[in-house]
């Protein structure tokens, strides 16, 4: 399933929601690039069956790779993730109620779509995933607009819309039935063309107007190297970046590492910015080879990278200083004793000098 040369790739939906959302952010970026004057609105629908600890239906709406709307089958409520979206929809009091009703309808249809797909692929039970992405991008310099619609099933391309030829592309034999049905529905194609050329760009422009200060915000983080104990992995920790579309990884001799590396989730800070960490296991690395490693942070849409070389003196640790068997901090005791001893020696020398002065 392709739009021009791009492909829609399924994320691992057995991870937590934040990991899924992060992957979708990067996916949306890959689809339309990171041109400074290009804005995007992408809507991601995900339906699943028998996925543990995950809603059967999830909707995520993104503007410029930032989550602005969320709905899932557990809450059954469409709600904003950005304060400026409240202002953007004030002129339409029924907006959120209407969105909730629309998404509940999609929830019911997607549940049926999974059953249809299982029949076509001659499947019964087990874990299955259906995904749909639809959206548009707008270049505020040239005023050019583009639209995308793609579908995936169980991690593989299933169906996509080619707006140039006004036809559907079916890379799977099981999707050909749907392709022919949609190709013959000219009224539906006219609706799609209106959505991609009018409705979607107009709504996107409105959201960019209200959310400009947040949507165009790009904050680079501070990066630190942390280690709990000498045998613990070294954690490269970035905090204070915005938005949450970011990549972080370890390199050796300039090549990205995939082994002995543990990438953490992107987590929110209290001030609205984000943080993330990536750990490196150094148990099999000689100390003299540490400088061959560095940590790389990249914020989506920003060309600048942050490189942090692995050097022992840069590592911050919360390791406690050695204590004696009674739990007393040894340096805390030794230092005063040394000072007292030094003062005693000085006092003794002064005393001797005074005595010698009397007898000479």
């Amino acid at each position: 399933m392709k739009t021009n040369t791009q492909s829609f790739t399924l994320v691992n939906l057995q991870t937590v929601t934040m990991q899924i959302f992060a992957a979708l952010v990067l996916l949306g970026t890959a689809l339309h690039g990171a041109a400074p004057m290009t804005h995007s609105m992408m809507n991601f629908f995900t339906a699943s069956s028998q996925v543990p600890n995950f809603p059967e239906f999830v909707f995520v709406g993104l503007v410029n790779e930032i989550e602005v709307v969320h709905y899932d089958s557990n809450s059954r409520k469409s709600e904003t993730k950005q304060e400026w979206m409240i202002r953007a929809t004030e002129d339409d009091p029924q907006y959120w109620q209407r969105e909730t009703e629309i998404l509940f309808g999609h929830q019911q249809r997607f549940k049926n779509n999974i059953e249809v797909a299982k029949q076509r692929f001659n499947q019964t039970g087990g874990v299955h995933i259906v995904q749909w992405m639809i959206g548009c991008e707008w270049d505020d310099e040239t005023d050019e607009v583009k639209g995308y619609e793609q579908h995936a099933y169980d991690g593989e391309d299933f169906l996509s819309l080619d707006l140039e030829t006004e036809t559907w592309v079916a890379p799977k034999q099981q999707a050909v039935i749907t392709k022919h049905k949609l190709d013959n529905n000219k009224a539906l194609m006219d609706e799609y063309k209106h959505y991609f050329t009018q409705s979607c760009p107009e709504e996107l422009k409105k959201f960019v107007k209200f959310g400009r200060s947040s949507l165009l915000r790009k904050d680079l983080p501070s990066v630190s190297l942390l280690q709990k104990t000498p045998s613990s992995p070294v954690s490269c920790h970035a905090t204070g970046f915005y938005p949450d579309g970011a990549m972080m990884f370890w390199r050796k001799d300039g090549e990205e590492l995939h082994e002995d590396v543990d990438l953490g989730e992107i987590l929110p800070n209290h001030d609205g910015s984000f943080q993330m960490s990536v750990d490196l296991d150094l148990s099999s690395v000689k100390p003299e080879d540490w400088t061959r490693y560095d940590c790389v942070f990249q914020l989506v849409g920003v060309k600048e990278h942050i490189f942090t070389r692995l050097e022992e003196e840069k590592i911050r640790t919360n390791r406690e200083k050695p204590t004696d068997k009674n739990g007393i901090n040894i340096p805390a005791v030794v230092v005063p004793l040394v000072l007292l001893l030094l003062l005693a020696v000085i006092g003794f020398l002064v005393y001797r000098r005074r005595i010698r002065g009397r007898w000479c």
Side-chain angles (χ1 to χ4, degrees), residues 20-34:
I20 293 172
F21 172 61
L24 292 176
V25 168
L26 296 178
L27 170 61
T29 303
L31 282 168
H32 66 77

Side-chain angles (χ1 to χ4, degrees), residues 268-327:
N269 289 323
H270 64 86
D271 62 355
S273 65
F274 298 90
Q275 62 172 296
M276 68 183 303
S277 297
V278 56
D279 295 346
L280 175 64
D281 184 357
L282 292 171
S283 58
S284 59
V285 180
K286 298 178 181 178
E288 56 267 28
D289 291 334
W290 280 22
T291 54
R292 297 171 63 186
Y293 295 80
D294 63 358
C295 172
V296 182
F297 176 91
Q298 181 183 12
L299 190 65
V300 171
V302 176
K303 293 182 179 180
E304 182 181 352
H305 292 54
I306 298 178
F307 300 92
T308 307
R309 184 172 297 279
L310 179 59
E311 297 174 350
E312 187 173 5
E313 58 269 21
K314 292 182 180 179
I315 299 176
R316 298 165 57 187
T317 178
N318 60 356
R319 295 194 296 268
E320 294 182 358
K321 297 178 181 180
T323 58
D324 67 5
K325 63 179 66 179
N326 295 318

Side-chain angles (χ1 to χ4, degrees), residues 182-198:
L182 293 174
D183 282 344
N184 293 325
N185 192 336
K186 299 304 180 183
L188 180 61
M189 182 59 68
D190 289 340
E191 290 182 18
Y192 274 116
K193 289 165 61 178
H194 181 268
Y195 173 77
F196 289 126
T197 60
Q198 300 294 326

Side-chain angles (χ1 to χ4, degrees), residues 163-213:
L163 281 171
E164 293 183 2
T165 62
E166 297 185 12
T167 59
W168 292 83
V169 179
K172 292 288 184 180
Q173 183 62 36
Q174 291 84 350
V176 172
I177 299 175
T178 304
K179 166 186 163 54
H180 290 323
K181 180 180 178 180
L182 293 174
D183 282 344
N184 293 325
N185 192 336
K186 299 304 180 183
L188 180 61
M189 182 59 68
D190 289 340
E191 290 182 18
Y192 274 116
K193 289 165 61 178
H194 181 268
Y195 173 77
F196 289 126
T197 60
Q198 300 294 326
S199 302
C200 186
E202 287 176 4
E203 191 170 32
L204 172 58
K205 292 175 183 179
K206 178 179 180 180
F207 290 161
V208 169
K209 175 184 176 181
F210 280 90
R212 180 172 293 274
S213 60

Side-chain angles (χ1 to χ4, degrees), residues 78-254:
S78 179
E79 53 189 358
T80 181
K81 295 294 183 178
Q82 303 294 330
E83 186 274 336
W84 56 263
M85 276 290 289
I86 301 298
R87 301 195 307 273
T89 57
E90 281 180 342
D91 60 345
D92 186 357
Q94 303 302 316
Y95 180 87
W96 294 105
Q97 179 60 35
R98 187 171 62 253
E99 287 296 301
T100 295
E101 293 172 357
I102 292 173
L103 289 168
F104 180 75
H106 283 308
Q107 176 183 325
Q108 300 304 107
R109 282 189 289 273
F110 267 70
K111 188 174 182 179
N112 180 66
N113 288 344
I114 288 183
E115 295 305 315
V116 172
K118 286 164 62 177
Q119 292 175 13
R120 292 190 186 177
F121 283 89
N122 195 27
Q123 298 168 335
T124 53
V127 173
H128 297 287
I129 307 293
V130 169
Q131 283 184 291
W132 172 32
M133 186 283 292
I134 183 170
C136 62
E137 62 179 31
W138 162 59
D139 189 317
D140 65 5
E141 190 171 47
T142 65
D143 210 34
E144 180 184 6
V145 296
K146 294 180 180 179
Y148 305 98
E149 176 163 0
Q150 303 178 350
H151 300 257
Y153 178 66
D154 281 355
E156 297 183 357
D157 297 341
F158 186 77
L159 195 69
S160 64
L161 175 60
D162 187 335
L163 281 171
E164 293 183 2
T165 62
E166 297 185 12
T167 59
W168 292 83
V169 179
K172 292 288 184 180
Q173 183 62 36
Q174 291 84 350
V176 172
I177 299 175
T178 304
K179 166 186 163 54
H180 290 323
K181 180 180 178 180
L182 293 174
D183 282 344
N184 293 325
N185 192 336
K186 299 304 180 183
L188 180 61
M189 182 59 68
D190 289 340
E191 290 182 18
Y192 274 116
K193 289 165 61 178
H194 181 268
Y195 173 77
F196 289 126
T197 60
Q198 300 294 326
S199 302
C200 186
E202 287 176 4
E203 191 170 32
L204 172 58
K205 292 175 183 179
K206 178 179 180 180
F207 290 161
V208 169
K209 175 184 176 181
F210 280 90
R212 180 172 293 274
S213 60
S214 296
L215 296 174
L216 302 185
R217 174 184 168 190
K218 303 287 183 182
D219 295 345
L220 291 175
S222 60
V223 180
S224 305
L225 298 178
L226 309 174
Q227 189 180 34
K228 292 181 179 179
T229 69
S231 60
S232 300
V234 173
S235 178
C236 185
H237 181 72
T239 186
F241 61 88
Y242 190 93
D244 61 352
M247 293 181 290
M248 198 172 184
F249 53 90
W250 280 98
R251 301 188 310 177
K252 179 182 179 182
D253 298 330

